Amino acid sequence: MNSPESKHFVLVHGAWHGAWCWEKVTPLLAGMGHEAHTLDLPGLGNDPAPISEITLDSYVNAVKDVIVSVNEPVVLVGHSMGGLVITQTAERVPDRVQALGYLAAFSPRDGESLFDYAMADTESHVTRFHEVNEEEGYFTVPEDRLPACFYGLCSEEDTRNAIARLRPQPLAPLVQPVSISEENYGQVRRCYIECTRDQALTWPMQKKMLHNARLDALLTLETDHSPFYSCPEDLVDCLVRL
């Protein structure tokens, strides 16, 4: 039985990644008496959905299904692109979300898409080096750029294992604007964990996200874009403070 202080975390990964990226975080949360729920967004991780069928709504529906399966409000955490997903999800089920946690994540305002910000982040390694396959509707980052982009402070082993599991990122969810309101999304507690040495979503762009989210709390990690590998213990300390 969970203690009164225990929480349910729903952890939403970012672009190219899957539920596997939380593999060092979930046992740490469990060891503190919390429950962590993860999922593969459609078309990523081990999910077989074809790229042509994937939209932001399909991402949101997948996360909503996990939230609904939990019998109490959750702490909903989104990493990077996952911030887009948790923003729209909170609009749909605000009563089931105790708090939103943005981990070096996108936080668009109503009517804005992820690409509105990503393409303006001109120092980002993703923006500078990404490759688009317009015919098949996805984009990638060249493999030789991935370590510096995502895993700059991670071990070689973690970096190698992560890169082997990345999948092409569908474009459609990233260009679809969010639709959020003060009545729903606006009533949910919002916290941001900034990563100051991030080369994928740079710190200056993260500062714009802090303004967008109108935060209740801000926490800082002096690390790269992948704190779930570079400093999982410090990340968990931040998560439980949300």
Side-chain angles (χ1 to χ4, degrees):
M1 179 179 296
N2 292 337
S3 71
E5 295 80 18
S6 69
K7 292 181 172 59
H8 287 270
F9 291 86
V10 174
L11 307 176
V12 181
H13 63 80
W16 298 287
H17 290 67
W20 51 263
C21 74
W22 304 108
E23 60 194 351
K24 293 191 174 186
V25 171
T26 53
L28 292 173
L29 286 171
M32 300 173 73
H34 305 293
E35 291 196 33
H37 309 265
T38 64
L39 72 154
D40 290 324
L41 293 175
L44 296 168
N46 292 318
D47 186 273
I51 289 174
S52 60
E53 297 178 4
I54 296 169
T55 65
L56 176 56
D57 288 334
S58 59
Y59 281 175
V60 170
N61 289 335
V63 175
K64 188 171 67 173
D65 287 346
V66 175
I67 294 174
V68 171
S69 72
V70 179
N71 293 325
E72 58 188 76
V74 305
V75 178
L76 180 58
V77 178
H79 173 245
S80 194
M81 179 198 71
L84 170 79
V85 182
I86 68 171
T87 296
Q88 190 63 71
T89 303
E91 173 69 18
R92 304 278 176 84
V93 286
D95 57 321
R96 304 300 296 267
V97 180
Q98 181 180 3
L100 290 173
Y102 291 88
L103 174 58
F106 289 92
S107 174
R109 296 171 297 188
D110 181 50
E112 295 177 337
S113 72
L114 182 149
F115 257 34
D116 291 333
Y117 291 92
M119 293 300 102
D121 192 4
T122 55
E123 295 303 309
S124 162
H125 284 226
V126 175
T127 304
R128 291 167 61 193
F129 303 119
H130 72 280
E131 298 175 346
V132 176
N133 185 319
E134 294 185 4
E135 183 177 348
E136 297 188 32
Y138 68 82
F139 77 120
T140 58
V141 175
E143 186 167 344
D144 64 332
R145 300 288 184 178
L146 291 172
C149 183
F150 297 136
Y151 314 112
L153 297 176
C154 301
S155 71
E156 290 185 10
E157 181 180 5
D158 286 337
T159 299
R160 183 172 58 252
N161 290 338
I163 288 174
R165 290 179 283 183
L166 298 177
R167 293 183 60 185
Q169 171 59 45
L171 284 168
L174 312 188
V175 298
Q176 181 179 337
V178 298
S179 178
I180 54 178
S181 66
E182 282 299 314
E183 293 76 17
N184 294 325
Y185 171 80
Q187 302 307 308
V188 180
R189 175 177 170 82
R190 298 184 290 280
C191 312
Y192 202 101
I193 304 172
E194 59 180 355
C195 295
T196 62
R197 298 175 68 178
D198 196 330
Q199 299 300 313
L201 178 56
T202 64
W203 195 24
M205 185 56 73
Q206 287 180 48
K207 292 296 186 186
K208 286 193 175 184
M209 304 302 164
L210 310 184
H211 176 74
N212 286 357
R214 291 184 298 169
L215 300 174
D216 296 285
L218 171 63
L219 301 170
T220 302
L221 292 171
E222 302 286 344
T223 192
D224 58 15
H225 193 60
S226 302
F228 34 76
Y229 286 132
S230 59
C231 56
E233 292 86 0
D234 293 337
L235 172 57
V236 168
D237 286 342
C238 288
L239 293 179
V240 298
R241 292 170 62 188
L242 298 183

